[in-house]
């Protein structure tokens, strides 16, 4: 009510009011996070009480009933199912006892509950010997970042320290790949597919390319533009999501998208694009992974998405007709350069590899959705080079040019954003999956052969 009255007062400066709102919201959010941490502490104490009560009883149903009884007591004040509360008690106790640094950062409102759960989930399979190392990196990566943007780093360090390599787990998980269907009602069913990450991303990308080709042809047909064959339909109002679904059904039922394709087979000629970053040691050493006795596995990574097993990374790397190299700093892992054995758009590839996501703070859209933005407009003399370019999704590209938000390049790909209220936010390019070492100059016999 107060804010509404203030906005109605022509004497109130909207910028000052917005600054007050942002400050108040930040303080409120920090208070909520601290209270959530206190709540986790109480749940952990309740778990300890239940454990003590169970320890005083004989093993068996009586011990389990002690936990149920405590959970039922808490459920009455939390207005939750006692089954849910019992699970929350166990989860809180795990946080307090197995993830002390995460709990400390949580209590200090440096990270929020979604960050905490992400760290807990990723670190659940790690041993006590490496968990502290994992926490240090995971907490640092989560501070000041959204859970979505921190997820890649958290999962990457968990993979590096895991007792079983990603390749070993992937081979076992692939045995469970399957397709299934579920009734949804209204005459519809859901078709599900579980397969390797690279395969699923490739399927989705190919369907997306085909769907966009159809929408482009439809738009040309609406304008009456001449086309070599009647591919577009001016009456076709399907969305891209609907087209993906129809094309998927068409391909699965006929083998090729013949129901949508042109006479020249343009849609069937579209191939999926799967961008992969592969650590050089994964390519050089064919035994890297679960069979390597002295070196940890260096899994590949689907650009902007998730780690993939070394077997898939090598297959994808060996199946390309040309190589792109992402050259990274041996200590920090920052992207230094990108080149290729065949000439091409080197600068775009470098920025694609360096940025890996929209460079506006909190945004995590992948490179395929980026516009290359000149920090200093080219019309005002801004150069077209890595020091003056950054990948922005369309939403934040428009925001930069049509609002009071500004951005400054601070070198090494670091962007400093300034909001209309004068607050600054630093966005650092995410480090790609890479082999790092404390020795920037490895012996000649271990250097990559290029």
């Amino acid at each position: 009510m107060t804010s509404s009255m203030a906005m109605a007062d022509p004497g109130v400066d909207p910028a000052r009011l917005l600054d007050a709102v942002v400050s108040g919201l930040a303080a409120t959010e920090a208070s909520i996070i601290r209270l959530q941490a206190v709540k986790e502490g109480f749940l952990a104490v309740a778990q300890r009480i239940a454990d003590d009560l169970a320890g005083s009883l004989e093993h068996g149903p009586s011990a389990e009933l002690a936990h149920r009884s405590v959970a039922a007591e808490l459920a009455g004040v939390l207005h939750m199912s006692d089954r849910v509360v019992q699970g929350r008690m166990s989860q809180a106790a795990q946080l307090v006892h197995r993830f002390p640094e995460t709990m400390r950062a949580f209590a200090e409102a440096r990270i929020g509950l979604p960050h905490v759960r992400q760290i807990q989930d990723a670190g659940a399979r790690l041993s006590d010997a490496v968990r502290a190392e994992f926490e240090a990196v995971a907490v640092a990566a989560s501070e000041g970042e959204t859970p979505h943007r921190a997820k890649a780093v958290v999962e990457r360090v968990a993979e590096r320290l895991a007792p079983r390599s990603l390749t070993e787990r992937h081979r076992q998980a692939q045995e469970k790949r399957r397709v299934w269907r579920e009734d949804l009602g209204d005459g519809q069913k859901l078709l599900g597919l579980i397969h390797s990450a690279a395969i699923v991303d490739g399927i989705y990308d190919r369907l997306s390319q085909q769907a966009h080709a159809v929408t482009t042809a439809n738009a040309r047909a609406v304008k009456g533009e001449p086309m070599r064959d009647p591919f577009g339909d001016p009456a076709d109002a399907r969305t891209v999501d609907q087209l993906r679904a129809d094309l998927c059904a068409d391909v699965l039922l006929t083998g090729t998208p013949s129901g949508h394709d042109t006479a020249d087979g343009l849609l069937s000629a579209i191939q999926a694009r799967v961008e992969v970053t592969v650590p050089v040691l994964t390519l050089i050493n064919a035994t890297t992974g679960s069979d390597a006795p002295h070196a940890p596995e260096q899994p590949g990574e689907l650009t902007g998405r998730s780690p993939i097993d070394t077997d898939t990374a090598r297959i994808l790397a060996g199946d390309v007709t040309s190589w792109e190299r992402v050259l990274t700093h041996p200590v920090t892992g920052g992207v230094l350069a990108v080149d290729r054995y065949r000439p091409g758009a080197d600068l775009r590839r470098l920025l694609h590899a360096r940025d890996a996501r929209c460079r506006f703070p909190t945004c995590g859209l992948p490179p395929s959705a980026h516009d290359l933005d000149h920090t200093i407009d080219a019309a005002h003399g801004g150069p077209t080079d890595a020091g003056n370019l950054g990948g922005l999704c369309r939403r934040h590209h428009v925001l930069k040019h049509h609002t009071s938000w500004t951005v400054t390049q601070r070198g090494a790909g670091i962007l400093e954003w300034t909001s209309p209220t004068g607050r600054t936010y630093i966005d650092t390019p995410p480090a790609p999956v890479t082999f790092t070492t404390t020795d920037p100059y490895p012996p000649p016999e271990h250097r990559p052969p290029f």
Side-chain angles (χ1 to χ4, degrees), residues 49-67 69:
I49 293 171
D51 290 341
D52 290 345
L53 289 173
S56 66
L57 301 171
E58 296 181 0
H59 294 293
S62 297
E64 168 62 19
L65 285 174
H67 289 85
S69 177

Side-chain angles (χ1 to χ4, degrees), residues 151-162:
K151 184 177 181 181
V153 178
V154 172
E155 290 185 343
R156 190 183 302 159
V157 70
E159 291 294 349
R160 180 170 62 84
L161 298 172

Side-chain angles (χ1 to χ4, degrees), residues 122-441:
R125 64 179 180 273
L126 302 181
S127 66
D128 294 340
V130 299
R131 194 175 298 112
E133 179 183 354
F134 163 74
E135 272 197 284
V137 178
V139 169
S142 299
E143 290 185 48
E145 285 286 15
T146 64
H148 176 76
R149 293 182 72 165
K151 184 177 181 181
V153 178
V154 172
E155 290 185 343
R156 190 183 302 159
V157 70
E159 291 294 349
R160 180 170 62 84
L161 298 172
R164 296 175 64 220
S165 71
L166 174 61
T167 298
E168 183 182 354
R169 299 198 316 274
H170 175 75
R171 289 170 183 166
Q172 183 176 350
Q174 273 292 89
E175 296 177 1
K176 300 178 181 179
R177 63 188 182 277
R178 66 189 182 97
V179 174
W180 76 96
R181 57 185 178 176
E182 296 177 10
D183 288 318
L184 296 178
D186 299 324
Q188 300 224 112
K189 286 192 176 184
L190 171 112
L191 181 70
L193 167 68
I194 294 178
H195 216 299
S196 70
I199 293 292
V200 172
D201 274 358
I203 291 171
Y204 187 83
D205 180 77
R206 188 173 186 229
L207 290 172
S208 296
Q209 290 184 67
Q210 292 174 339
H212 287 298
V214 172
T215 57
T216 299
N218 290 343
R220 292 182 62 191
V222 169
K223 296 177 182 178
E225 296 180 7
M227 292 181 286
R228 187 170 60 179
D229 52 35
F231 184 19
D233 181 358
D236 188 350
R238 285 175 295 176
T239 66
V240 171
D241 279 337
Q242 291 169 340
L243 280 165
R244 284 194 195 101
D246 292 345
L247 286 160
C248 181
D250 203 356
V251 170
L252 292 177
L253 290 171
T254 68
T256 59
S258 58
H260 297 82
D261 212 354
T262 67
D264 295 330
L266 296 182
L267 289 185
S268 60
I270 292 176
Q271 299 299 310
R273 298 167 302 186
V274 180
E275 297 183 23
V276 183
T277 300
V278 185
V280 68
L281 293 187
T282 297
L283 299 179
I284 294 173
N285 183 4
T287 62
T288 296
S290 59
D291 298 328
H294 303 298
E297 179 189 52
Q298 302 296 323
E301 183 172 296
L302 296 176
T303 303
R305 292 182 175 88
S306 59
I308 59 172
D309 63 287
T310 53
D311 289 342
T312 301
R314 291 192 193 99
I315 290 171
L316 292 174
D319 198 37
V320 297
T321 57
S322 63
W323 279 89
E324 289 184 3
R325 299 185 296 182
V326 179
L327 306 180
T328 59
H329 191 285
V331 176
T332 66
V335 174
L336 301 177
V338 176
D339 64 7
R340 194 176 190 179
Y341 291 135
R342 287 193 316 202
D346 297 334
L347 180 58
R348 178 175 287 276
R349 284 195 295 274
L350 185 148
L351 293 168
H352 208 163
R354 184 195 72 184
D355 292 344
R357 66 191 181 203
C358 172
R359 295 302 310 283
F360 186 82
T362 74
C363 187
L365 285 180
S368 58
H370 289 182
D371 295 335
L372 287 185
D373 172 68
H374 286 75
T375 302
I376 300 175
D377 199 316
H380 297 150
T384 302
D385 58 29
N388 190 49
L389 288 172
L392 298 178
C393 70
R394 184 57 54 85
R395 174 186 177 89
H396 293 120
H397 195 177
V398 171
L399 183 78
K400 171 183 175 288
H401 285 285
H402 297 282
T403 71
S404 298
W405 280 88
T406 60
V407 62
T408 302
Q409 295 263 2
R410 293 304 184 193
I414 297 172
L415 302 186
E416 180 182 272
W417 289 82
T418 303
S419 75
T421 61
R423 289 171 172 80
T424 59
Y425 303 88
I426 300 297
D427 188 75
T428 303
V433 58
T434 183
F435 176 74
T436 61
T437 176
T438 55
D439 180 5
Y441 300 105

